[in-house]
Amino acid sequence: AIAPSAMEDAAQHRGLEVRAYATKGPWRRKDLALVSAMGPVFLSVGWQTARFVGLLAGVGATAAVGALVLLLEFWLVEFYCWARLDVRQDLSNAELCVVKPRHAQTRRAHKCKLTVCEDSGEVSFSFWNARYVLDKKSGSFERLTNRVEGTRFADHLRAPGIASARGLRDGIRKWGANEFAFSKPEFLPLLVEHMLAPFFVFQLFCVGLWCLDEYWYYSLFTLVMLVMFECTVVKQRIRNLETLQQMGHQPQAIWTFREGQWQRVSEHTLIPGDLISISSESGFAETFVPADCLLLAGTGITNESILTGESVPQWKVSVKFRSPKDGFSWRRDKQHVLFRGTTLIQHDEDGVSHLSPLSRQKGSPDGGLVCLVLRTGFGTTQGDLMRTILHSTERMSANSSEAGLFILFLLVFAVAASAYVLYNGIYLTAPEDRDPFKLALNCIMIITSVIPPELPMELSLAVNTSMLSLFKKFIFCTEPFRIPLAGKVDACCFDKTGTLTSTRLVFEGVGDPRRDMSDLGGVPEIEVPKDPACDATKVLVGCHSLVAVHGKLRGDPMEKAAFKALLWTISKDLAKPKKGNPHLRGGDRYMLKILKRFHFNPTLKRMSTVVLKRAMEPSAPEAAGGSSAGEYLVLAKGAPESLRESFSRVPDDYDEVYLDYARRGLRVIALGIRRLQISDPLVVRGLSRSQAESSLEFCGFATFSCPLKPSSSETLLSLKQASHRLVMITGDAMLTACHVAREVHIADKPPLILKEAGRATGAASTAEAIESAFEWATHDGTTDIAFGLSTAMELSRDYSLCVPGKVVTLLAGLGPSALRQVLPFCSVFARTSPDDKEVIVKTLKDVGHTVLMCGDGTNDVGALKTAHVGIALLNSVKPAAPRRRWKKTIREWVEEEEEDDSLPVVSLGDASIASPFTSRFSTVTPCVDIVKQGRSTLVTYVQMFKILGINCLSSAYSMSVMYLNGVKMGDTQATVSGVIIALLFMSLSNTSANEKLSAARPHSKVFCRYFMVSMVGQFFFHFAYLYGTYRYALTFAGDDVAAAPEAVPAGAPGNSTEADPASGASEKEAGGFEPNLVNTVAFTVNFVIQLATFAVNYVGEPFNVNIWRNRGLAVGLVACVALTGLLISGAGGPDLDSTFEVVALPEELKVAIALGGLGTWIAALCVETAARRLFPERLHKNLLL
């Protein structure tokens, strides 16, 4: 289970950077001033250059600048503020604000309208389905939320509800409706918004350039491809929003205490401060909690699996027995809170506190739980999960800054090639042969060739393919940008109980050090108690948090195991032996009625109950049997070291016995009992926790075995062999954790445990004091080694270091430097609190690790959110096996296939409030799947940019060569080449991850030695191939074979048999595109290079499947190679040559192109292989210890 309160605290108050602005007057707007200044300049230059034609060109240039300014204002909020707005310190004069979240993944600024309430003067704005209000004292905006942290319980118990209609109106105006309301955009406006994105506008500009150069088919193909892609994205967004709108439950009518009386209202009208009644017998199929509520009266049991994935029912108790002076805490008092969206399984009515105004109303009208509404709508814990799903729409953004720098790096070469063409056209071309328009057009097209139109589709498809692959394995992701981060993971942290080990514990029995061991010669044997008078049995069956739902026990697996072994059962708060229990017969039979519970406290590490023990009459029905006499008992259980201080007398070998049990890998629980000399039930119910848990009598150690989950050892061994550091972070006992750590390969060296040296540690506030208070000890306790902060790294070379959570807390008090000296070198952390787990993960991140955290418990939420990759294991629903269904019609088959292949939206119940990744499987196997898929996505991302780089450099050179010789690529050539490259890129993006996790690590950066050496080395050979074939082709320029009749029919338009490619004759002089030798060589050679680049740079094993298993890419490459062979050899005949607008090649040139292509292919493969072996990805230094 995930602690909803912890998530609520972490997510509801994320920091925002907010700046207020007011609109400038038209005469002060900088955008208008800029356009007004540029317009006369363009008009003047145009008039002087070409009179009326130039004047029209000047008007067009001015309009283009104006359009660019408007687009910049639409794209960049900062530019919009600079051009149109003035900063306002006085918010009363401000009209809007710019909001920028501080967390790194969503740093994009957003414009929000400021609203000022006329009555109260309150200044606020709405952002991401949350309202932020100006705090006049601090001068900053804070999220509007009902601040109840630290408020006294007495104030909540006295809450009168909503007393007037005006208070209700003001509350609804302030808090809004209690629903998840968000607008669903229409298709056309959303499509227009997508088409105004920077990349789409840039590609439209490129399409316009291609049209000017008469590439009609290629321009049309590119435009259709771009529009279809954007339509697909828009359709998917709308479909996801429709799915989100259908989530949640149908609104229910709730009994609400308003204006001094109970009335039924829709849950949508609830506001913080309402008093409501919730009953599990409401008449609905399921009773859903309508808001985050504080339980004032009654006891309930809820199912919180929709938020946490944990199917164990949660006890909810009222606050009326708490001290009225105590302060409320979301983290500490979650047992008093019912969370929105959870299901109320059953409840018990109880009278309200005498402090409540409802005491005169005799409680609730339907006998339900009386609750105070704390938070509603998107302010609830479920609302925060909904906001995460709604706004986690980021596309792949790993190394986005490097991607931008890489495109700038390519732009340098493109500008150099363009500059050379420009220089040649201005200084080396006769004025009468110079065409300024064509020259400028060619230079711009060379520069814009750096970014291909299919780039956004490639990156989106890479991430979507990974998400779909994970979805098919029942792994759900709410933050897609974290998938590439999973490929960089080098430290994996795991919880123990419920994650590595099974939640189905086995009760082994009770060991009692008080028994005479003179004949046993050691630690007392463990046995299941059979004596009817055994106190250990009373504690095990009377101190629990189980509930009976439809005749089945639900709750803590450890407690269920004890009940099963002891043959006991429960009915509400009555614990009694089963009918067939052979150990309790006749007059020995008794039952225990729980009068008061002190639930398990993670800080105290214990729980207790106050019970009434009654004998059961053999002849009376068990449900109502028992004598009037009874005995009041306090039953307690908890961690041996925690409960020890509560015992009146502790056996001499107390520590020796429980430590020996723990070394065997058993989970050890100390049991205690106290017989109360009280007969008044009211006095018994009034006992405080400190009074009850004192002067206990020790009655043994209950031991439970916790078997490993089937795949835990195999999975962690796979991760360890794949160059990952493994760490266990658990709240369990140290020796038990060490035992499990050895079994799952976390502790592969002799364990060295940090324990107290017998000195007081409470006031240890310096490094010296902590070092003197603790010492290292071997697993069997025979060897002691002095503890020093600076010696942890050296000890980790020979030992697996195991540290208790207490040390983590003490080191955190010294600061980050002390934590970095010890924690990164430890393998096991035991007895840790939720804060300790978060500190450990943060420290691993601080020293440079990319951290994966996997857990399923309430103590894991902070660590799961802090880690780069947090994985929550859900146990609530077993995933259903996929079923094949007969397809009745072709239309149905197509529709179902489209639905199956679309990117799924994560729904409530599939996502956990704790982490970006959630798995419906309870084993740790999904960790390997996520790491494999992350590596595959990361490798695909990096190789795409390398292929892009090599192709862009080659294209820039080949385009410059053709432009210098007055030739260009044919429209058909450009279209076919664009289609083929787009299909190859899509096949590349759609690759599958390799089944086996490798020890080799993928390169995670674009700018690294491997990447640059490989790209530059390959381009060197490709450039040599391009330059050599081009120079060799010029030697055939005067021959008749330059354009043989077989290639283009004689007399047909475009035949250039007599043209000399080196003479600078332009195609426009012949009236259109004319295929010739230079064009044919440039096209075929560039196509060979592109195919070689895809084949050589495809990264298959060990991260992706082999290239031959990627059917789309393999078949595509083979088909393209065959097509290229036909074009080079001329075996396709005149029809194929005419289709691709090429001419027949001389025999010597055919051989040169074929052998050169084979040579550059082999050379590029050698360069790639050598670079990968010479410059592997570096391991983190801690992995080398």
Side-chain angles (χ1 to χ4, degrees):
I2 310 303
S5 56
M7 175 63 186
E8 188 270 347
D9 273 344
Q12 297 240 358
H13 305 292
R14 290 172 178 164
L16 299 175
E17 296 178 10
V18 183
R19 298 191 70 178
Y21 294 88
T23 305
K24 295 179 179 179
W27 59 90
R28 298 182 58 242
R29 283 177 47 176
K30 297 178 182 177
D31 52 352
L32 295 180
L34 180 63
V35 176
S36 300
M38 297 294 292
V41 175
F42 290 142
L43 295 175
S44 176
V45 173
W47 177 261
Q48 295 176 7
T49 304
R51 297 299 176 182
F52 291 104
V53 175
L55 193 63
L56 292 176
V59 172
T62 305
V65 170
L68 180 61
V69 169
L70 290 176
L71 288 171
L72 288 174
E73 291 177 349
F74 180 78
W75 297 333
L76 303 174
V77 175
E78 293 84 355
F79 185 82
Y80 179 89
C81 296
W82 172 83
R84 296 194 179 196
L85 306 176
D86 281 329
V87 178
R88 285 286 187 267
Q89 299 298 332
D90 184 7
L91 294 176
S92 60
N93 298 326
E95 300 174 15
L96 57 83
C97 62
V98 173
V99 180
K100 184 184 294 185
R102 288 198 176 99
H103 45 293
Q105 285 79 22
T106 50
R107 291 283 295 170
R108 189 168 64 90
H110 303 261
K111 289 183 294 184
C112 299
K113 183 181 179 181
L114 283 175
T115 58
V116 181
C117 179
E118 296 180 357
D119 297 334
S120 61
E122 181 183 75
V123 181
S124 64
F125 66 88
S126 296
F127 176 66
W128 282 359
N129 303 101
R131 188 163 170 241
Y132 292 82
V133 179
L134 176 66
D135 184 357
K136 295 182 179 180
K137 293 182 179 180
S138 63
S140 61
F141 284 91
E142 298 291 338
R143 181 174 174 184
L144 179 63
T145 182
N146 189 24
R147 299 297 178 86
V148 294
E149 186 75 19
T151 54
R152 297 188 310 162
F153 286 119
D155 298 332
H156 298 301
L157 291 171
R158 294 192 182 99
I162 305 302
S164 65
R166 180 178 179 181
L168 177 61
R169 288 194 304 269
D170 293 343
I172 293 178
R173 180 191 59 79
K174 179 178 181 180
W175 303 105
N178 179 34
E179 60 182 351
F180 298 144
F182 50 88
S183 60
K184 186 189 74 173
E186 298 295 330
F187 179 83
L188 190 57
L190 192 57
L191 180 61
V192 172
E193 178 186 338
H194 278 242
M195 289 184 173
L196 290 177
F199 188 87
F200 193 89
V201 173
F202 172 77
Q203 290 300 332
L204 284 181
F205 174 71
C206 294
V207 167
L209 294 178
W210 296 326
C211 288
L212 291 176
D213 205 18
E214 299 178 355
Y215 286 104
W216 305 111
Y217 295 135
Y218 183 56
S219 301
L220 182 62
F221 158 72
T222 303
L223 184 61
V224 170
M225 181 176 62
L226 291 171
V227 173
M228 287 183 62
F229 173 71
E230 295 300 336
C231 289
T232 304
V233 174
V234 169
K235 183 179 178 181
Q236 185 64 46
R237 281 188 61 183
I238 293 176
R239 184 188 304 172
N240 290 349
L241 289 174
E242 289 175 345
T243 305
L244 287 174
Q245 284 184 330
Q246 297 170 3
M247 287 183 187
H249 59 271
Q250 293 297 321
Q252 300 176 353
I254 303 293
W255 280 105
T256 308
F257 189 74
R258 289 177 176 172
E259 302 182 37
Q261 61 181 355
W262 287 101
Q263 49 186 290
R264 289 179 71 86
V265 302
S266 171
E267 66 176 63
H268 286 170
T269 65
L270 294 180
I271 60 174
D274 263 325
L275 288 176
I276 62 175
S277 175
I278 311 175
S279 172
S280 58
E281 301 173 357
S282 58
F284 296 100
E286 290 183 298
T287 300
F288 293 97
V289 179
D292 286 355
C293 307
L294 184 65
L295 183 55
L296 302 183
T299 302
I301 301 168
T302 62
N303 179 4
E304 297 181 351
S305 61
I306 195 170
L307 295 180
T308 65
E310 179 56 70
S311 60
V312 175
Q314 304 297 314
W315 275 90
K316 301 297 179 180
V317 295
S318 68
V319 300
K320 72 175 186 178
F321 295 114
R322 294 287 298 272
S323 171
K325 297 181 181 179
D326 287 348
F328 173 78
S329 168
W330 283 101
R331 184 183 294 273
R332 185 185 63 246
D333 298 319
K334 60 182 180 290
Q335 73 272 18
H336 303 310
V337 179
L338 279 68
F339 294 96
R340 178 190 167 99
T342 60
T343 307
L344 183 63
I345 300 174
Q346 67 183 46
H347 78 282
D348 291 322
E349 184 185 9
D350 195 4
V352 297
S353 169
H354 68 282
L355 298 175
S356 173
L358 296 180
S359 58
R360 301 176 183 177
Q361 305 287 333
K362 297 182 180 181
S364 60
D366 59 348
L369 303 178
V370 178
C371 304
L372 174 66
V373 175
L374 299 180
R375 288 177 177 170
T376 59
F378 281 103
T380 62
T381 304
Q382 187 187 29
D384 192 77
L385 176 58
M386 178 68 80
R387 292 173 69 239
T388 299
I389 298 173
L390 266 174
H391 301 291
S392 292
T393 56
E394 306 235 357
R395 294 179 183 176
M396 183 173 177
S397 59
N399 295 328
S400 57
S401 59
E402 283 194 337
L405 291 175
F406 180 67
I407 291 177
L408 291 177
F409 170 76
L410 297 180
L411 195 61
V412 172
F413 289 89
V415 169
S418 178
Y420 181 68
V421 172
L422 183 64
Y423 174 82
N424 186 279
I426 294 177
Y427 296 103
L428 303 182
T429 305
E432 60 273 11
D433 296 331
R434 187 185 305 157
D435 186 341
F437 173 76
K438 276 287 186 180
L439 183 62
L441 181 63
N442 293 338
C443 292
I444 295 175
M445 291 183 65
I446 292 175
I447 294 175
T448 57
S449 65
V450 169
I451 305 178
E454 64 271 9
L455 179 61
M457 287 180 287
E458 298 155 10
L459 297 182
S460 296
L461 187 60
V463 175
N464 292 355
T465 300
S466 298
M467 287 190 67
L468 190 60
S469 299
L470 294 175
F471 180 78
K472 291 178 179 178
K473 297 179 181 179
F474 300 97
I475 301 170
F476 307 93
C477 178
T478 57
E479 299 178 3
F481 66 87
R482 292 188 185 269
I483 294 179
L485 289 178
K488 303 180 183 181
V489 165
D490 55 11
C492 302
C493 304
F494 297 91
D495 180 36
K496 185 183 79 69
T497 306
T499 301
L500 297 175
T501 59
S502 173
T503 55
R504 297 182 179 179
L505 282 76
V506 177
F507 178 59
E508 299 291 344
V510 176
D512 192 348
R514 299 173 300 175
R515 294 204 303 266
D516 183 12
M517 294 185 294
S518 57
D519 298 333
L520 299 176
V523 177
E525 292 296 324
I526 300 171
E527 59 183 13
V528 177
K530 301 178 181 178
D531 185 359
C534 179
D535 288 336
T537 301
K538 299 183 181 70
V539 178
L540 289 170
V541 300
C543 183
H544 65 84
S545 58
L546 298 175
V547 296
V549 180
H550 304 301
K552 294 184 179 181
L553 294 183
R554 301 279 296 274
D556 190 337
M558 182 180 67
E559 296 172 344
K560 289 197 296 183
F563 267 77
K564 181 179 179 181
L566 296 172
L567 301 177
W568 279 63
T569 186
I570 61 173
S571 176
K572 291 191 175 181
D573 286 335
L574 281 177
K576 52 190 178 182
K578 292 183 177 180
K579 293 182 179 179
N581 191 327
H583 310 306
L584 293 173
R585 297 178 179 176
D588 294 333
R589 295 171 65 84
Y590 62 89
M591 63 180 181
L592 301 174
K593 179 177 176 60
I594 298 178
L595 304 177
K596 190 170 185 178
R597 273 189 178 90
F598 299 104
H599 288 268
F600 178 78
N601 186 307
T603 303
L604 298 176
K605 299 175 184 175
R606 60 176 180 262
M607 72 170 292
S608 60
T609 58
V610 181
V611 304
L612 173 63
K613 176 193 172 188
R614 290 180 179 175
M616 298 178 64
E617 293 290 340
S619 59
E622 290 189 2
S627 63
S628 59
E631 180 184 15
Y632 292 105
L633 305 173
V634 174
L635 310 176
K637 64 182 181 182
E641 67 274 19
S642 173
L643 206 58
R644 177 176 182 154
E645 60 187 21
S646 299
F647 293 130
S648 58
R649 191 182 69 84
V650 179
D652 295 337
D653 50 358
Y654 181 93
D655 293 335
E656 177 187 349
V657 171
Y658 93 76
L659 289 176
D660 184 82
Y661 292 155
R663 290 189 186 99
R664 303 183 199 177
L666 298 175
R667 188 172 182 179
V668 185
I669 304 296
L671 308 176
I673 189 172
R674 178 185 171 194
R675 291 171 171 81
L676 298 175
Q677 306 301 321
I678 302 174
S679 58
D680 188 353
L682 295 178
V683 176
V684 172
R685 290 177 182 270
L687 285 175
S688 66
R689 183 164 198 156
S690 59
Q691 291 173 329
E693 296 175 353
S694 62
S695 302
L696 298 174
E697 178 185 346
F698 175 72
C699 50
F701 295 114
T703 58
F704 299 83
S705 62
C706 193
L708 289 176
K709 290 182 178 179
S711 61
S712 294
S713 180
E714 179 184 355
T715 300
L716 268 68
L717 178 61
S718 175
L719 288 170
K720 193 175 190 67
Q721 292 175 343
S723 307
H724 291 91
R725 180 177 181 83
L726 303 182
V727 179
M728 178 187 290
I729 311 176
T730 179
D732 213 338
M734 176 64 75
L735 293 174
T736 306
C738 289
H739 177 82
V740 174
R742 290 201 304 271
E743 290 187 335
V744 296
H745 311 286
I746 291 178
D748 54 351
K749 304 171 186 175
L752 199 61
I753 300 172
L754 190 61
K755 66 175 186 177
E756 295 187 34
R759 305 175 183 89
T761 60
S765 58
T766 64
E768 294 76 12
I770 296 175
E771 289 176 342
S772 62
F774 292 90
E775 63 183 6
W776 296 105
T778 54
H779 187 253
D780 55 5
T782 57
T783 304
D784 294 334
I785 302 174
F787 171 56
L789 300 183
S790 59
T791 61
M793 184 175 69
E794 288 300 322
L795 288 174
S796 66
R797 300 180 186 275
D798 303 317
Y799 298 96
S800 293
L801 304 185
C802 310
V803 173
K806 184 175 184 179
V807 175
V808 176
T809 304
L810 293 173
L811 292 177
L814 298 181
S817 59
L819 292 168
R820 289 194 290 264
Q821 285 183 280
V822 179
L823 268 55
F825 309 104
C826 302
S827 301
V828 178
F829 297 92
R831 292 298 188 208
T832 55
S833 67
D835 292 337
D836 293 336
K837 293 187 176 185
E838 191 171 348
V839 167
I840 293 166
V841 172
K842 187 176 184 302
T843 303
L844 292 175
K845 291 174 62 178
D846 290 343
V847 297
H849 283 293
T850 303
V851 184
L852 177 149
M853 176 69 195
C854 180
D856 75 328
T858 55
N859 298 331
D860 303 329
V861 56
L864 288 169
K865 293 300 291 184
T866 303
H868 293 99
V869 178
I871 306 172
L873 304 181
L874 306 186
N875 301 310
S876 58
V877 181
K878 292 183 179 180
R883 296 179 298 175
R884 293 186 177 272
R885 294 180 297 174
W886 293 101
K887 310 296 188 294
K888 296 182 179 180
T889 64
I890 295 295
R891 181 178 179 181
E892 290 179 1
W893 182 84
V894 171
E895 290 177 351
E896 291 187 12
E897 287 298 313
E898 288 180 350
E899 182 177 353
D900 290 343
D901 291 338
S902 63
L903 186 63
V905 59
V906 179
S907 60
L908 296 174
D910 292 336
S912 168
I913 59 174
S915 63
F917 292 93
T918 54
S919 170
R920 281 294 185 91
F921 288 102
S922 60
T923 66
V924 293
T925 305
C927 296
V928 174
D929 294 329
I930 292 173
V931 170
K932 288 192 299 186
Q933 203 62 53
R935 288 185 173 187
S936 174
T937 306
L938 184 64
V939 163
T940 301
Y941 174 81
V942 174
Q943 74 185 0
M944 276 183 176
F945 276 96
K946 187 161 53 158
I947 294 172
L948 169 66
I950 296 173
N951 285 344
C952 284
L953 294 176
S954 302
S955 297
Y957 176 75
S958 61
M959 290 173 69
S960 62
V961 166
M962 288 192 292
Y963 291 152
L964 287 174
N965 287 276
V967 296
K968 66 175 185 178
M969 187 180 294
D971 194 4
T972 303
Q973 294 174 349
T975 304
V976 172
S977 177
V979 171
I980 291 175
I981 297 303
L983 292 176
L984 291 178
F985 263 124
M986 292 177 66
S987 300
L988 184 71
S989 304
N990 204 29
T991 190
S992 301
N994 194 25
E995 291 84 357
K996 185 177 180 181
L997 201 57
S998 169
R1001 302 189 63 82
H1003 293 87
S1004 58
K1005 296 180 180 180
V1006 172
F1007 284 100
C1008 63
R1009 289 184 296 176
Y1010 151 74
F1011 188 93
M1012 301 307 294
V1013 168
S1014 176
M1015 186 182 72
V1016 174
Q1018 291 183 56
F1019 176 67
F1020 172 78
F1021 288 102
H1022 294 333
F1023 177 79
Y1025 177 46
L1026 270 169
Y1027 184 77
T1029 52
Y1030 163 67
R1031 299 300 300 178
Y1032 191 48
L1034 292 181
T1035 63
F1036 296 90
D1039 296 345
D1040 291 338
V1041 292
E1046 295 82 7
V1048 180
N1055 191 349
S1056 59
T1057 329
E1058 305 299 330
D1060 183 358
S1063 65
S1066 177
E1067 292 161 357
K1068 64 182 180 64
E1069 297 175 358
F1073 171 74
E1074 294 184 3
N1076 57 35
L1077 198 60
V1078 172
N1079 163 266
T1080 301
V1081 170
F1083 170 70
T1084 54
V1085 169
N1086 201 51
F1087 196 56
V1088 168
I1089 290 175
Q1090 289 176 334
L1091 297 180
T1093 304
F1094 274 98
V1096 168
N1097 292 281
Y1098 174 79
V1099 180
E1101 297 177 351
F1103 307 117
N1104 291 323
V1105 295
N1106 188 282
I1107 191 171
W1108 299 112
R1109 294 180 58 189
N1110 186 336
R1111 286 189 176 182
L1113 185 60
V1115 172
L1117 286 174
V1118 171
C1120 291
V1121 169
L1123 175 63
T1124 308
L1126 292 176
L1127 292 176
I1128 294 175
S1129 64
D1135 293 337
L1136 184 66
D1137 290 350
S1138 177
T1139 300
F1140 284 89
E1141 300 175 318
V1142 297
V1143 299
L1145 301 173
E1147 291 299 327
E1148 297 86 344
L1149 195 54
K1150 293 179 182 178
V1151 175
I1153 293 176
L1155 293 180
L1158 180 62
T1160 191
W1161 200 314
I1162 296 174
L1165 181 61
C1166 292
V1167 170
E1168 167 66 14
T1169 304
R1172 188 171 294 278
R1173 292 184 178 180
L1174 290 174
F1175 305 107
E1177 180 73 357
R1178 293 182 178 179
L1179 295 177
H1180 193 282
K1181 60 182 180 181
N1182 291 346
L1183 296 175
L1184 302 177
L1185 295 176

